[in-house]
């Protein structure tokens, strides 16, 4: 029976047709349907607005073509990447999506009614550490290299007698001689903590030194000192508003996370995790 089928011309025709179709599909594999990318008016307006924000002018026709080409390139590579599951287990993508989700959660805080001045005053009183003004000092300095201690001492004596700062010592190494009233932390950032601590001890109205810093040796004259204090609400209201808004957004994000966290259970199969950590996660 089998031998007879093998000799049938119809069987030969079917087998040959199958081989031809197989060869055709091997040479020209079927393509998936082409995805449609729509660029409607709101989309194009958005792309042009982004371009204008970067270049500070309206895009020309050539610029519009470049904008669309760049958008299509991004969209096509994005769609193909998603088709290939390249987004799976990618830490950068996970981090970015998590940030966007946090931003969505943070938007809740912006939907709340505007904060009043009374609420801002209460917030300021609750967080005095955020708004306290550190000690500030207005001073002059004259810079010498570490190897020029003798010259520094001679100049100190001359300055105490009322002589002007030597021309060769003006703005030496790019360091200004005159410093207006400057907050202690800013002085420390500019000259180092040790210099700032020694400068805080210098009496007002007298040349002193030399005080060492990373630049060298400094002769200093303090003309004003303001002690650390709590500022008035009116003088720092914009800063209080920014801090309040920031904290409100953080609180909204945390509340959203706490609500979402209840929808998930955590099971840790990895080794080396402390038992109290596992218990805490399991109980959430």
């Amino acid at each position: 029976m089998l031998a007879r089928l093998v000799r049938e011309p119809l069987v030969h025709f079917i087998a040959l047709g199958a081989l031809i179709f197989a060869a055709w599909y091997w040479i020209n594999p079927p393509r998936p349907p082409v995805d449609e990318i729509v660029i409607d008016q709101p989309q194009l307006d958005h792309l042009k607005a982004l371009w204008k924000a970067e270049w500070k002018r309206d895009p020309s026709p050539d610029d519009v073509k470049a904008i669309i080409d760049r958008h299509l390139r991004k969209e096509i590579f994005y769609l193909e990447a998603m088709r290939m599951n390249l987004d799976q287990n990618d830490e950068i993508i996970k981090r970015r999506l998590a940030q966007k989700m946090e931003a969505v959660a943070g938007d809740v805080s912006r939907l709340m009614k505007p904060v009043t001045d009374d609420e801002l005053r209460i917030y300021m009183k609750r967080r005095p550490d955020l708004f306290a003004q550190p000690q500030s000092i207005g001073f002059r300095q004259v810079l010498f290299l570490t190897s020029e201690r003798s010259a520094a001492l001679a100049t100190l004596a001359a300055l105490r007698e009322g002589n002007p700062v030597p021309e060769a010592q003006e703005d030496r190494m790019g360091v200004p001689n005159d410093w207006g009233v400057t907050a202690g932390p800013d002085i420390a950032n500019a000259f180092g903590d040790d210099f700032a601590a020694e400068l805080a001890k210098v009496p007002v109205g007298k040349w002193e030194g030399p005080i060492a810093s990373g630049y060298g040796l400094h002769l200093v004259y303090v003309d004003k000192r303001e002690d650390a204090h709590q500022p008035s609400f009116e003088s720092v209201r914009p800063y209080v508003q920014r801090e309040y808004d920031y904290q409100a957004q953080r609180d909204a994000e945390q509340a959203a996370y706490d609500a979402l966290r209840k929808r998930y259970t955590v099971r840790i199969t990895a080794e080396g995790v402390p038992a109290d950590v596992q218990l805490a996660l399991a109980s959430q």
Side-chain angles (χ1 to χ4, degrees):
M1 179 67 177
L2 180 59
R4 182 180 175 183
L5 286 175
V6 171
R7 290 194 297 268
E8 285 289 333
L10 180 59
V11 175
H12 295 170
F13 178 78
I14 294 174
L16 180 60
L19 289 174
I20 292 173
F21 277 106
W24 173 261
Y25 276 103
W26 181 74
I27 296 173
N28 298 286
R31 297 181 179 179
V34 177
D35 290 314
E36 182 182 34
I37 300 175
V38 178
I39 303 178
D40 56 17
Q41 191 60 52
Q43 177 73 61
L44 180 59
D45 290 344
H46 176 67
L47 294 173
K48 290 166 67 176
L50 292 177
W51 193 96
K52 184 176 181 179
E54 180 177 357
W55 296 99
K56 311 304 180 187
R57 63 177 176 83
D58 291 323
S60 67
D62 287 342
D63 294 327
V64 173
K65 179 181 181 301
I67 290 169
I68 293 175
D69 287 344
R70 183 171 59 182
H71 176 70
L72 289 177
R73 181 183 179 89
K74 181 189 68 175
E75 287 296 305
I76 288 170
F77 277 122
Y78 165 75
L79 292 172
E80 290 302 313
M82 294 297 291
R83 180 175 287 112
M84 297 172 65
N85 293 323
L86 297 183
D87 60 316
Q88 299 299 312
N89 297 319
D90 188 303
E91 289 301 320
I92 295 177
I93 293 177
K94 286 183 179 180
R95 186 182 307 119
R96 180 58 181 150
L97 290 176
Q99 289 172 345
K100 293 189 73 172
M101 189 62 200
E102 286 182 344
V104 170
D107 285 341
V108 174
S109 66
R110 300 185 182 93
L111 299 177
M112 298 185 299
K113 63 182 179 70
V115 62
T116 65
D117 281 2
D118 288 341
E119 291 171 323
L120 290 178
R121 286 190 173 91
I122 293 173
Y123 179 72
M124 182 177 175
K125 289 180 179 179
R126 289 176 177 173
R127 295 300 308 272
D129 55 305
L130 289 178
F131 310 106
Q133 300 297 301
Q135 183 189 62
S136 300
I137 300 174
F139 66 100
R140 303 188 69 201
Q141 68 82 31
V142 182
L143 175 60
F144 293 84
L145 299 179
T146 304
S147 59
E148 299 174 332
R149 176 172 288 273
S150 296
L153 293 174
T155 301
L156 176 62
L159 291 172
R160 284 176 171 175
E161 293 176 359
N163 292 302
V165 174
E167 184 176 347
Q169 308 304 128
E170 292 182 358
D171 297 340
R172 193 175 185 187
M173 296 175 61
V175 182
N177 291 99
D178 297 321
W179 290 69
V181 178
T182 306
D186 294 332
I187 296 173
N189 288 337
F191 296 97
D193 292 337
D194 292 341
F195 177 92
E198 290 299 318
L199 182 66
K201 302 175 185 177
V202 173
V204 175
K206 183 180 179 182
W207 280 101
E208 294 288 348
I211 299 175
S213 80
Y215 293 104
L217 301 175
H218 303 260
L219 305 179
V220 296
Y221 181 92
V222 173
D223 51 30
K224 188 174 184 179
R225 178 180 284 109
E226 296 179 356
D227 294 332
H229 64 283
Q230 286 294 132
S232 66
F233 171 76
E234 289 73 17
S235 66
V236 292
R237 187 195 182 287
Y239 179 58
V240 177
Q241 173 85 61
R242 288 196 300 271
E243 286 295 319
Y244 181 93
D245 290 343
Y246 170 75
Q247 190 59 51
Q249 181 175 346
R250 291 288 302 274
D251 292 344
E253 291 174 1
Q254 186 61 43
Y257 171 76
D258 292 340
L260 293 171
R261 177 66 179 82
K262 296 176 181 178
R263 298 169 53 184
Y264 296 86
T265 58
V266 178
R267 184 169 61 91
I268 299 178
T269 59
E271 297 180 356
V273 180
D276 58 335
V277 174
Q278 294 201 40
L279 182 62
L281 291 172
S283 63
Q284 290 182 356

